[in-house]
Coordinates of all heavy atoms in Angstrom, one line a residue:
V51 N 3.5 11.2 -11.6 CA 2.5 10.7 -10.8 C 1.5 9.9 -11.7 O 1.1 10.4 -12.7 CB 1.7 11.8 -10.0 CG1 0.6 11.3 -9.3 CG2 2.7 12.6 -9.1
T52 N 1.2 8.7 -11.2 CA 0.3 7.8 -12.0 C -1.0 7.4 -11.2 O -1.9 6.8 -11.7 CB 0.9 6.5 -12.6 OG1 1.5 5.8 -11.4 CG2 2.1 6.9 -13.5
G53 N -0.9 7.7 -9.9 CA -2.0 7.3 -9.0 C -2.1 8.3 -7.8 O -1.1 8.8 -7.4
V54 N -3.3 8.4 -7.2 CA -3.5 9.3 -6.2 C -4.5 8.7 -5.2 O -5.3 7.8 -5.5 CB -4.0 10.7 -6.6 CG1 -3.0 11.5 -7.4 CG2 -5.3 10.6 -7.4
V55 N -4.5 9.3 -4.0 CA -5.5 9.0 -2.9 C -6.0 10.3 -2.5 O -5.4 11.4 -2.7 CB -4.9 8.3 -1.7 CG1 -4.3 6.9 -2.1 CG2 -3.8 9.1 -1.0
I56 N -7.2 10.3 -1.8 CA -7.7 11.5 -1.1 C -7.6 11.2 0.4 O -8.1 10.2 0.8 CB -9.2 11.9 -1.6 CG1 -9.6 13.1 -0.8 CG2 -10.1 10.7 -1.4 CD1 -10.9 13.8 -1.4
A57 N -6.8 12.1 1.0 CA -6.7 12.0 2.5 C -7.7 12.9 3.1 O -7.7 14.1 2.9 CB -5.2 12.4 2.8
V58 N -8.5 12.3 4.1 CA -9.6 13.0 4.7 C -9.3 13.2 6.1 O -8.3 12.5 6.6 CB -11.0 12.4 4.5 CG1 -11.2 12.2 3.0 CG2 -11.0 11.0 5.0
D59 N -10.0 14.0 6.9 CA -9.9 14.1 8.3 C -9.8 12.7 9.0 O -10.5 11.8 8.5 CB -11.0 14.9 8.9 CG -10.9 16.4 8.6 OD1 -9.9 16.8 8.2 OD2 -11.9 17.1 8.8
G60 N -9.1 12.6 10.1 CA -9.0 11.4 10.7 C -7.9 10.4 10.1 O -7.8 9.3 10.5
E61 N -7.0 11.0 9.2 CA -5.9 10.3 8.6 C -6.4 9.1 7.8 O -5.6 8.2 7.6 CB -4.9 9.9 9.7 CG -4.2 11.1 10.3 CD -3.2 10.7 11.3 OE1 -2.6 9.6 11.2 OE2 -2.9 11.6 12.1
K62 N -7.6 9.1 7.3 CA -8.1 8.1 6.4 C -7.8 8.4 5.0 O -8.0 9.5 4.6 CB -9.5 7.8 6.7 CG -10.0 6.6 6.0 CD -11.4 6.1 6.5 CE -11.8 4.8 6.0 NZ -12.9 4.2 6.5
E63 N -7.4 7.4 4.2 CA -7.1 7.6 2.8 C -8.0 6.7 2.0 O -8.2 5.5 2.2 CB -5.7 7.3 2.5 CG -4.7 8.3 3.1 CD -3.3 7.9 2.6 OE1 -2.9 6.9 2.1 OE2 -2.4 8.9 2.9
Y64 N -8.5 7.3 0.9 CA -9.2 6.5 -0.1 C -8.5 6.5 -1.5 O -8.2 7.5 -2.0 CB -10.6 7.2 -0.4 CG -11.5 7.2 0.9 CD1 -11.3 8.2 1.8 CD2 -12.5 6.2 1.1 CE1 -12.1 8.1 3.0 CE2 -13.2 6.2 2.2 CZ -13.1 7.2 3.1 OH -13.9 7.2 4.2
L65 N -8.2 5.3 -2.0 CA -7.5 5.2 -3.3 C -8.5 5.6 -4.4 O -9.7 5.3 -4.3 CB -7.1 3.7 -3.6 CG -6.5 3.5 -4.9 CD1 -5.1 4.1 -5.0 CD2 -6.4 1.9 -5.0
I66 N -8.0 6.4 -5.3 CA -8.8 6.9 -6.4 C -8.7 5.9 -7.5 O -7.5 5.6 -8.0 CB -8.5 8.3 -6.9 CG1 -8.6 9.3 -5.8 CG2 -9.3 8.7 -8.1 CD1 -9.9 9.5 -5.2
R67 N -9.7 5.2 -7.9 CA -9.8 4.2 -8.9 C -9.5 4.7 -10.3 O -9.8 5.9 -10.6 CB -11.1 3.5 -8.9 CG -11.4 2.4 -9.8 CD -12.8 1.9 -9.6 NE -12.9 0.7 -10.4 CZ -14.1 0.1 -10.5 NH1 -15.2 0.5 -9.9 NH2 -14.2 -1.0 -11.3
E68 N -8.8 4.0 -11.1 CA -8.5 4.4 -12.5 C -9.9 4.7 -13.1 O -10.8 4.0 -13.0 CB -7.7 3.4 -13.3 CG -6.2 3.7 -13.2 CD -5.6 2.9 -14.2 OE1 -5.8 3.0 -15.5 OE2 -4.6 2.1 -13.8
G69 N -9.9 5.8 -13.9 CA -11.1 6.2 -14.6 C -10.9 7.5 -15.3 O -9.8 8.1 -15.3
P70 N -12.0 8.0 -16.0 CA -11.8 9.2 -16.8 C -11.3 10.5 -16.0 O -10.7 11.3 -16.7 CB -13.2 9.5 -17.3 CG -14.1 8.3 -16.9 CD -13.3 7.5 -16.0
L71 N -11.6 10.6 -14.7 CA -11.2 11.8 -14.0 C -9.8 11.6 -13.2 O -9.4 12.6 -12.7 CB -12.3 12.2 -13.0 CG -13.6 12.6 -13.6 CD1 -14.6 12.8 -12.5 CD2 -13.5 13.7 -14.5
L72 N -9.2 10.5 -13.3 CA -7.9 10.3 -12.6 C -6.9 11.3 -13.1 O -6.2 11.9 -12.3 CB -7.4 8.9 -12.7 CG -6.1 8.6 -12.0 CD1 -6.1 8.9 -10.6 CD2 -5.6 7.2 -12.3
K73 N -6.7 11.5 -14.4 CA -5.7 12.4 -14.9 C -6.0 13.8 -14.5 O -5.1 14.6 -14.2 CB -5.7 12.3 -16.4 CG -5.0 11.0 -17.0 CD -4.9 11.0 -18.5 CE -4.3 9.7 -18.9 NZ -4.1 9.6 -20.3
D74 N -7.3 14.2 -14.4 CA -7.6 15.5 -13.9 C -7.2 15.7 -12.5 O -6.6 16.8 -12.1 CB -9.1 15.9 -14.2 CG -9.4 15.9 -15.6 OD1 -8.6 16.3 -16.4 OD2 -10.6 15.6 -15.9
L75 N -7.5 14.7 -11.7 CA -7.2 14.8 -10.2 C -5.7 14.8 -10.0 O -5.3 15.5 -9.1 CB -7.8 13.6 -9.5 CG -9.4 13.7 -9.2 CD1 -9.9 12.4 -8.8 CD2 -9.5 14.8 -8.2
I76 N -4.9 14.2 -10.8 CA -3.4 14.2 -10.7 C -2.9 15.6 -10.8 O -1.9 15.9 -10.1 CB -2.8 13.2 -11.7 CG1 -3.0 11.8 -11.3 CG2 -1.3 13.5 -11.9 CD1 -2.6 10.7 -12.3
L77 N -3.6 16.4 -11.6 CA -3.1 17.9 -11.7 C -3.4 18.7 -10.4 O -2.9 19.7 -10.3 CB -3.9 18.4 -12.8 CG -3.7 17.9 -14.2 CD1 -4.6 18.5 -15.3 CD2 -2.3 18.0 -14.7
H78 N -4.1 18.0 -9.4 CA -4.5 18.8 -8.2 C -3.8 18.2 -7.0 O -4.3 18.3 -5.9 CB -6.0 18.8 -8.1 CG -6.6 19.6 -9.2 ND1 -6.4 21.0 -9.3 CD2 -7.3 19.2 -10.2 CE1 -7.1 21.4 -10.4 NE2 -7.6 20.3 -11.0
V79 N -2.7 17.5 -7.2 CA -1.9 16.9 -6.0 C -1.5 18.0 -5.0 O -1.1 19.2 -5.5 CB -0.6 16.1 -6.5 CG1 0.2 15.8 -5.3 CG2 -1.0 14.9 -7.3
R80 N -1.8 17.8 -3.8 CA -1.5 18.7 -2.7 C -2.5 19.8 -2.6 O -2.3 20.9 -2.0 CB -0.1 19.2 -2.7 CG 1.0 18.3 -2.4 CD 2.3 18.8 -2.3 NE 2.7 19.5 -3.4 CZ 3.6 19.1 -4.3 NH1 4.2 17.9 -4.2 NH2 4.0 19.8 -5.4
Q81 N -3.7 19.7 -3.2 CA -4.7 20.6 -3.2 C -5.9 20.0 -2.5 O -6.1 18.8 -2.6 CB -5.2 21.2 -4.5 CG -4.0 21.9 -5.2 CD -4.5 22.4 -6.6 OE1 -5.6 22.3 -7.0 NE2 -3.6 23.2 -7.3
E82 N -6.7 20.9 -1.9 CA -8.0 20.4 -1.2 C -9.1 20.3 -2.3 O -9.3 21.2 -3.1 CB -8.4 21.4 -0.1 CG -9.6 20.9 0.6 CD -10.1 21.8 1.7 OE1 -9.4 22.8 2.0 OE2 -11.1 21.5 2.3
V83 N -9.8 19.2 -2.3 CA -10.9 19.0 -3.3 C -12.1 18.3 -2.6 O -12.0 17.8 -1.5 CB -10.4 18.1 -4.5 CG1 -9.3 18.7 -5.2 CG2 -10.1 16.7 -3.9
E84 N -13.2 18.5 -3.3 CA -14.4 17.7 -2.9 C -14.7 16.7 -4.0 O -14.8 17.2 -5.2 CB -15.5 18.7 -2.7 CG -16.9 18.1 -2.3 CD -18.0 19.0 -2.2 OE1 -18.2 19.5 -1.2 OE2 -18.7 19.2 -3.3
V85 N -14.7 15.5 -3.7 CA -14.9 14.4 -4.7 C -16.2 13.7 -4.5 O -16.6 13.5 -3.3 CB -13.8 13.4 -4.8 CG1 -12.5 14.1 -5.2 CG2 -13.6 12.7 -3.6
T86 N -16.9 13.3 -5.5 CA -18.1 12.6 -5.4 C -17.8 11.3 -6.2 O -17.2 11.3 -7.2 CB -19.3 13.3 -6.0 OG1 -19.4 14.6 -5.4 CG2 -20.6 12.6 -5.9
G87 N -18.4 10.2 -5.7 CA -18.2 8.9 -6.4 C -18.8 7.7 -5.7 O -19.4 7.9 -4.6
M88 N -18.5 6.5 -6.2 CA -19.0 5.3 -5.7 C -17.8 4.6 -4.9 O -16.7 4.6 -5.4 CB -19.4 4.4 -6.8 CG -20.3 5.0 -7.8 SD -21.9 5.4 -7.1 CE -22.8 4.0 -7.4
L89 N -18.2 4.2 -3.7 CA -17.2 3.7 -2.8 C -17.2 2.1 -2.9 O -18.3 1.5 -2.8 CB -17.5 4.1 -1.4 CG -16.4 3.7 -0.3 CD1 -15.0 4.2 -0.7 CD2 -16.9 4.1 1.1
F90 N -16.1 1.5 -3.0 CA -15.9 0.1 -3.1 C -14.8 -0.4 -2.1 O -14.1 0.5 -1.6 CB -15.5 -0.4 -4.5 CG -16.5 0.0 -5.5 CD1 -16.3 1.2 -6.3 CD2 -17.6 -0.7 -5.8 CE1 -17.2 1.6 -7.2 CE2 -18.5 -0.4 -6.8 CZ -18.3 0.8 -7.5
K91 N -14.6 -1.6 -2.0 CA -13.4 -2.2 -1.2 C -12.6 -3.0 -2.2 O -13.2 -3.8 -3.0 CB -13.9 -2.9 -0.1 CG -14.5 -2.0 1.1 CD -14.6 -2.7 2.3 CE -15.3 -1.7 3.3 NZ -14.9 -1.7 4.6
D92 N -11.3 -2.9 -2.0 CA -10.4 -3.8 -2.9 C -10.3 -5.1 -2.3 O -11.0 -5.4 -1.2 CB -9.1 -3.1 -3.1 CG -8.2 -3.0 -1.9 OD1 -8.5 -3.7 -0.8 OD2 -7.2 -2.4 -1.9
E93 N -9.6 -6.0 -2.9 CA -9.5 -7.4 -2.4 C -8.9 -7.5 -1.0 O -9.1 -8.6 -0.3 CB -8.7 -8.3 -3.3 CG -7.4 -7.8 -3.7 CD -7.3 -6.7 -4.7 OE1 -8.2 -6.4 -5.4 OE2 -6.2 -6.1 -4.8
K94 N -8.3 -6.5 -0.5 CA -7.7 -6.4 0.8 C -8.6 -5.7 1.8 O -8.2 -5.5 3.0 CB -6.3 -5.8 0.9 CG -5.3 -6.6 0.0 CD -4.0 -5.9 0.0 CE -2.9 -6.6 -0.8 NZ -1.7 -5.9 -0.9
G95 N -9.7 -5.3 1.3 CA -10.7 -4.5 2.2 C -10.4 -3.1 2.3 O -11.1 -2.4 3.2
K96 N -9.5 -2.5 1.5 CA -9.2 -1.1 1.6 C -10.3 -0.3 0.8 O -10.6 -0.8 -0.3 CB -7.8 -0.8 1.2 CG -6.8 -1.4 2.1 CD -5.4 -1.0 1.8 CE -4.4 -1.6 2.9 NZ -3.1 -1.2 2.7
P97 N -10.6 0.9 1.2 CA -11.6 1.7 0.4 C -11.0 2.2 -0.9 O -9.9 2.8 -0.9 CB -11.9 2.8 1.4 CG -10.7 3.0 2.3 CD -10.2 1.6 2.5
V98 N -11.8 2.1 -1.9 CA -11.5 2.6 -3.3 C -12.6 3.4 -3.7 O -13.8 3.1 -3.7 CB -11.2 1.4 -4.2 CG1 -10.9 1.9 -5.6 CG2 -10.1 0.6 -3.7
L99 N -12.3 4.6 -4.3 CA -13.4 5.5 -4.7 C -13.3 5.6 -6.3 O -12.3 5.9 -6.9 CB -13.2 6.9 -4.1 CG -14.3 7.9 -4.3 CD1 -15.6 7.5 -3.7 CD2 -13.9 9.3 -3.8
S100 N -14.4 5.3 -6.9 CA -14.6 5.5 -8.4 C -15.3 7.0 -8.5 O -16.4 7.1 -8.2 CB -15.5 4.5 -8.9 OG -15.7 4.7 -10.3
V101 N -14.5 7.9 -8.9 CA -14.8 9.3 -8.9 C -15.7 9.6 -10.1 O -15.4 9.3 -11.3 CB -13.6 10.2 -8.9 CG1 -14.0 11.7 -9.0 CG2 -12.8 10.0 -7.7
T102 N -16.9 10.3 -9.8 CA -17.8 10.7 -10.9 C -17.8 12.2 -11.1 O -18.3 12.7 -12.0 CB -19.3 10.2 -10.5 OG1 -19.7 10.8 -9.2 CG2 -19.4 8.7 -10.5
G103 N -17.2 12.9 -10.1 CA -17.1 14.4 -10.2 C -16.2 15.0 -9.1 O -16.0 14.3 -8.1
F104 N -15.7 16.2 -9.3 CA -14.9 16.8 -8.3 C -14.8 18.3 -8.5 O -15.1 18.8 -9.6 CB -13.5 16.2 -8.1 CG -12.6 16.7 -9.2 CD1 -11.7 17.8 -8.9 CD2 -12.5 16.1 -10.4 CE1 -10.9 18.2 -9.9 CE2 -11.7 16.5 -11.4 CZ -10.8 17.5 -11.2

Side-chain angles (χ1 to χ4, degrees):
V51 175
T52 59
V54 294
V55 298
I56 182 167
V58 299
D59 285 343
E61 298 184 19
K62 188 163 188 171
E63 292 183 345
Y64 296 82
L65 178 67
I66 303 299
R67 184 178 184 183
E68 265 194 58
L71 295 178
L72 178 61
K73 287 183 181 180
D74 293 332
L75 282 167
I76 286 172
L77 298 175
H78 298 288
V79 169
R80 293 188 301 257
Q81 292 182 0
E82 183 179 356
V83 298
E84 177 182 273
V85 296
T86 303
M88 309 296 268
L89 185 61
F90 302 96
K91 292 197 180 212
D92 68 10
E93 57 278 347
K94 295 179 182 176
K96 294 186 178 186
V98 178
L99 188 65
S100 180
V101 176
T102 57
F104 77 95

